[in-house]
Amino acid sequence: MAYIRGESKPADDSERACPFCRMPGLDDADGLVVRRGSLAYAVLNLYPYAPGHLMVCPYRHIPDYTDTTDAEAAEIADLTRQAMRTVRAVSGAGGFNVGMNQGHVAGAGIAGHLHQHVVPRWPGDQNFMPIIGRTRTLPELLSDTRQLLADAWLGSPDK
């Protein structure tokens, strides 16, 4: 309901109001940061579509993928691959939806700061709960998911 009411939505697209600029300045647990790179980081989605739904964001406040440097684009791609490997190892995800919504008209909830979604999927994960019960089920607290993924990521071969 907090998401629907827009409680955490920034007032504008400025860097000052941006949660993706604020999160890296927090402690990893408080900011739900799972992994930090030198140019980008992976963070759990505060309003996940599925358990383990995370996003890969550049530290720089840029709105569009075409604004990335070659090094930023490479690190975003590398962190995305690492995220998929880590989530798959921890949860047995059967597949992933990976993508970016560029601009408000394309569905970006926070259009001012580029972010790539990494959404794990499992057979049968679209059940009756969202349709009939108007409820999404998440079997784990975000803080627990963040800790599980962060610990597993540290043990991965491409840390």
Side-chain angles (χ1 to χ4, degrees), residues 72-108:
E72 285 170 326
E75 187 163 278
I76 290 167
D78 192 44
L79 284 171
T80 299
R81 290 183 327 169
Q82 290 177 34
M84 292 173 64
R85 289 180 185 129
T86 302
V87 171
R88 189 178 287 127
V90 167
S91 70
F96 291 86
N97 293 120
V98 176
M100 300 179 198
N101 298 327
Q102 299 283 273
H104 289 292
V105 299

Side-chain angles (χ1 to χ4, degrees), residues 1 4 9 23-25 28 71-72 111 117 129 136 152 154 157:
M1 288 308 298
I4 292 169
K9 190 159 173 81
M23 287 173 183
D28 286 355
E72 285 170 326
H117 292 265
M129 289 297 286
R136 275 197 196 140
L154 287 176

Side-chain angles (χ1 to χ4, degrees), residues 34 86 90-91 140 143-153:
V34 177
T86 302
V90 167
S91 70
E140 188 169 62
S143 58
D144 294 343
T145 302
R146 192 214 68 81
Q147 189 64 55
L148 180 69
L149 293 175
D151 290 348
W153 208 313

Side-chain angles (χ1 to χ4, degrees), residues 2-88:
Y3 177 78
I4 292 169
R5 288 190 295 263
E7 291 175 9
S8 296
K9 190 159 173 81
D12 56 53
D13 284 338
S14 71
E15 189 171 345
R16 177 186 44 73
C18 180
F20 297 130
C21 289
R22 192 172 47 253
M23 287 173 183
L26 300 173
D27 166 90
D28 286 355
D30 292 337
L32 298 176
V33 174
V34 177
R35 182 75 173 163
R36 293 176 187 265
S38 58
L39 301 171
Y41 67 100
V43 61
L44 283 182
N45 191 321
L46 191 56
Y47 305 107
Y49 303 151
H53 175 180
L54 54 84
M55 296 168 293
V56 177
C57 309
Y59 290 112
R60 239 174 14 112
H61 185 79
I62 53 174
D64 197 87
Y65 189 60
T66 60
D67 296 330
T68 60
T69 64
D70 290 346
E72 285 170 326
E75 187 163 278
I76 290 167
D78 192 44
L79 284 171
T80 299
R81 290 183 327 169
Q82 290 177 34
M84 292 173 64
R85 289 180 185 129
T86 302
V87 171
R88 189 178 287 127

